[in-house]
Amino acid sequence: MVRVELCFGGGLEALLGGQKRTPVDVPDECRTMGKLILWIRDTLISERHDMFMKDDCVRPGILVLINSSDWELEGTTQYVLEPGDSISFISTLHGG
Amino acid sequence: MVRVELCFGGGLEALLGGQKRTPVDVPDECRTMGKLILWIRDTLISERHDMFMKDDCVRPGILVLINSSDWELEGTTQYVLEPGDSISFISTLHGG
Amino acid sequence: MEQPQQETVERYSRQMVLGCFGVESQRCLSRARVLVVGAGGLGCPAAMYLAGAGVGALCLLDRHGDCVERSNLHRQIAYNDAVVGVDKAEALAQFVRNLNPRCDVQRLDSKQHGVGICAANAEQMVQGFDVVLDCTDNVMSRYVLSDACALQKVPLVSGAAIGTDGQLSVYCSSGAKDDDTPCYRCVHPVAPPQHCVGSCDSAGVLGPVPGIIGTLQAIEAIKVICGASFVGAEPLRRKMLLFDAMDCSFRTMKLRARNSACIACSSNSTSTQNRITRVNEYDYDAFLMGDSAGDSAAAAPAI
Amino acid sequence: MEQPQQETVERYSRQMVLGCFGVESQRCLSRARVLVVGAGGLGCPAAMYLAGAGVGALCLLDRHGDCVERSNLHRQIAYNDAVVGVDKAEALAQFVRNLNPRCDVQRLDSKQHGVGICAANAEQMVQGFDVVLDCTDNVMSRYVLSDACALQKVPLVSGAAIGTDGQLSVYCSSGAKDDDTPCYRCVHPVAPPQHCVGSCDSAGVLGPVPGIIGTLQAIEAIKVICGASFVGAEPLRRKMLLFDAMDCSFRTMKLRARNSACIACSSNSTSTQNRITRVNEYDYDAFLMGDSAGDSAAAAPAI
Ligand SMILES: [Zn+2]
Ligand SMILES: [Zn+2]
């Protein structure tokens, strides 16, 4: 198990009943970002899965952050979680 | 020696030639906040010492932060520096 | 013909449709009485957004005789060349009346004609308001306003800006037992030496910087007013936001709790009368003069 | 009688006295041409503070025929009941002309009458500006504007707000060799599904929230325009600011660098003509429709 903090923002927190920050214990076999995303879908999100995922990855329009960095800078789905990491999923906004 | 980051803001950075962030190695004998303040005055600040200090402590109107907390919550002058600490001195603003 | 109520619903529809805000929060706003002290770079956007959002009554107070100058226009966006020379609070009142005719906008006059808020009248001035916004530009006003709000248990949304920096916090407990919000004096028990105090007029300020802080003051005031009706909203109590426009960075610092020995906000109920007397008799001039007696600036009325 | 130049000096004196800004930065502003696209909750404060700060020319563009509605007034503070029904960009132009008569304010008309910015005219629209502000409210405009700015190497200050959230970043390289700033498409290579896109009109927005982001857009534009003259200022390149009004929290995230294979901003100079052709022939409708072909919304002109 690895304990990390999940953050949801930009409206995505609605998928978790409005909760923006959730500490979670992720099973060792889900320690990569790719597997974490599937684990979140199956464990934490009870409906509207299409607001979170598309084709086994995060849907377009969601910014994924690993400790305040764009996950593109950290290996995207290959990144291996460290204890204490903060992982954020922020919906891109378009309003003005 | 203990390595910490010093931050100056709200105009106080003028005392350090405009530099807002400065990593420093503080001698072991100056590891308390009380001694750090004297060390900063003697080592880093070359003029207008009265903008920084009054009567052996930081002058009124300067907020002192230890890792984003008001130093009143951390023991003020008695706090002992840890490696990696971020210590900030922010001048209170009054303009509008 | 359109009914007044339909018009109101339409005006605030984009806030009321917001799940966490809703009709109940809008109703809280419509019943709220808000005092904005200072009609400058902070007060302009704060008053504009509060009127737009639909607060019921908005009172504006500035130093009597403080008029719009051309050097204000780059940051005080409710004004333009046509009102240069006009009384500031009056010009701002006129602007926000046009912005929202449903908002009852008053230019508050101090009891003592010709004087803005000062130690002698501050407590009466802030009485009865749901929230006060400190948009002033000087040290004395900040202490006088906070002391008055502490005594009257009115939350104070305090903003400040200069150069490219800004600061924001919510001071003064609303009186709830477990509310340990400090007052301004708890956090700043000793006034800064006068030679360390800058102003926007002497040190300069980038125009939109007070715009950021004044607009954030409007948001904090809305959260204070709506309370639990605004689901999930948390005012900036026991926290201070530090803004640096140079790299667009914001830091939040944790502030100390209320000081139980504070002369203005101490919760020791047996000493309430004492507190009031102590504050009323407080010698602000001596407090502020500190190390520079003879400077007459601090003796002038504050706003 | 007062000389025009004295008047100008007085108007901008509080910025010019600011050491890090100075006369040189003020001169940069006075020579700058700025395009603000979108005259809503973001565009209002952005245009007001840019005009106040003294940009030389300010062009405003909104969807042709988009008029002020009463439901806009809570957040679009340049308007009031008197201009309900008036063309938005025209109403905003009138406001900022009054705010600063020294600023050359134009309501930009698209080449194709009756249409706002769209794929066919965007590149010409943004040409010659020092900076463009994306204050729009829809996905298509954001891609079209960014693609045009990427091709023309015009920095793009992009803001967005909805509910109680806001986002801000500076996109598009200015063309300097070592500038690895991504364009909007580098960061968002695939458009979001339409059912995941909210708008302020459908989802609601707290009035001052776009005020924060629009005012920050003005600050970022000033930093982009002034460059090294504004000593120590760093625009928000390869960074995105995330604002949550609920607890007044701001986070800065590090963004990826420019994608060398990006169809809009790739630096591979041999393919410049290719890039232009590819973008010009790009099928925005198909791109946006993605999973929901048949929805006609994306076929409408963007702004
Ligand atoms: Zn107190
Ligand atoms: Zn690109």
Side-chain angles (χ1 to χ4, degrees), chain C residues 2 10-11 14-15 17 49 52 70-71 74 79-81 98-99 101 201 204-205 207 211 223 231 234 245-246, chain D residues 2 10-11 14-15 49 52 70-71 74 79-81 98-99 101 201 204-205 207 211 223 231 234 245-246:
Chain C
E2 203 174 28
E10 200 187 337
R11 184 181 291 271
R14 298 308 182 262
Q15 282 176 177
V17 77
Y49 279 108
R70 192 165 281 114
S71 64
H74 79 116
Y79 311 133
N80 60 35
D81 294 82
N98 287 334
L99 185 64
D201 281 344
V205 61
K223 293 193 285 185
V231 180
E234 291 171 28
M246 294 303 260
Chain D
E2 204 174 29
E10 200 188 337
R11 185 181 290 271
R14 298 307 182 264
Q15 282 176 176
Y49 279 109
R70 191 165 282 114
S71 64
H74 79 117
Y79 312 133
N80 59 36
D81 294 81
N98 287 334
L99 185 64
D201 281 344
V205 61
K223 292 192 286 185
V231 180
E234 292 171 28
M246 294 303 260

Side-chain angles (χ1 to χ4, degrees), chain C residues 146-147 150 181-187 258-259 262-266:
Chain C
S146 174
D147 288 349
T181 311
C183 77
Y184 188 80
R185 188 181 286 278
C186 290
V187 177
R258 186 150 55 136
N259 175 2
C262 175
I263 64 154
C265 79
S266 135

Side-chain angles (χ1 to χ4, degrees), chain C residues 207-282:
Chain C
V209 171
I212 296 297
I213 301 298
T215 307
L216 286 172
Q217 286 181 275
I219 295 177
E220 292 307 307
I222 289 170
K223 293 193 285 185
V224 166
I225 290 165
C226 297
S229 301
F230 193 171
V231 180
E234 291 171 28
L236 206 61
R237 292 179 176 283
R238 285 202 58 191
K239 290 180 188 169
M240 185 184 287
L241 184 77
L242 309 169
F243 169 50
D244 185 348
M246 294 303 260
D247 58 354
C248 197
S249 66
F250 292 85
R251 285 179 73 182
T252 304
M253 69 174 280
K254 242 185 287 182
L255 283 183
R256 66 197 72 177
R258 186 150 55 136
N259 175 2
S260 58
C262 175
I263 64 154
C265 79
S266 135
S267 56
N268 185 340
S269 59
T270 63
S271 69
T272 301
Q273 191 49 50
N274 259 349
R275 262 190 315 136
I276 294 176
T277 309
R278 266 189 295 176
V279 168
N280 285 348
E281 290 175 354
Y282 194 77

Side-chain angles (χ1 to χ4, degrees), chain D residues 246-268:
Chain D
M246 294 303 260
D247 58 354
C248 197
S249 66
F250 291 85
R251 285 180 71 181
T252 304
M253 68 174 281
K254 241 186 288 181
L255 282 183
R256 66 196 72 177
R258 185 149 57 135
N259 173 3
S260 58
C262 175
I263 66 156
C265 78
S266 134
S267 56
N268 185 340

Side-chain angles (χ1 to χ4, degrees), chain D residues 146-147 150 172 181-187 257-266:
Chain D
S146 174
D147 287 349
C172 297
T181 311
C183 76
Y184 188 79
R185 191 181 284 279
C186 290
V187 177
R258 185 149 57 135
N259 173 3
S260 58
C262 175
I263 66 156
C265 78
S266 134

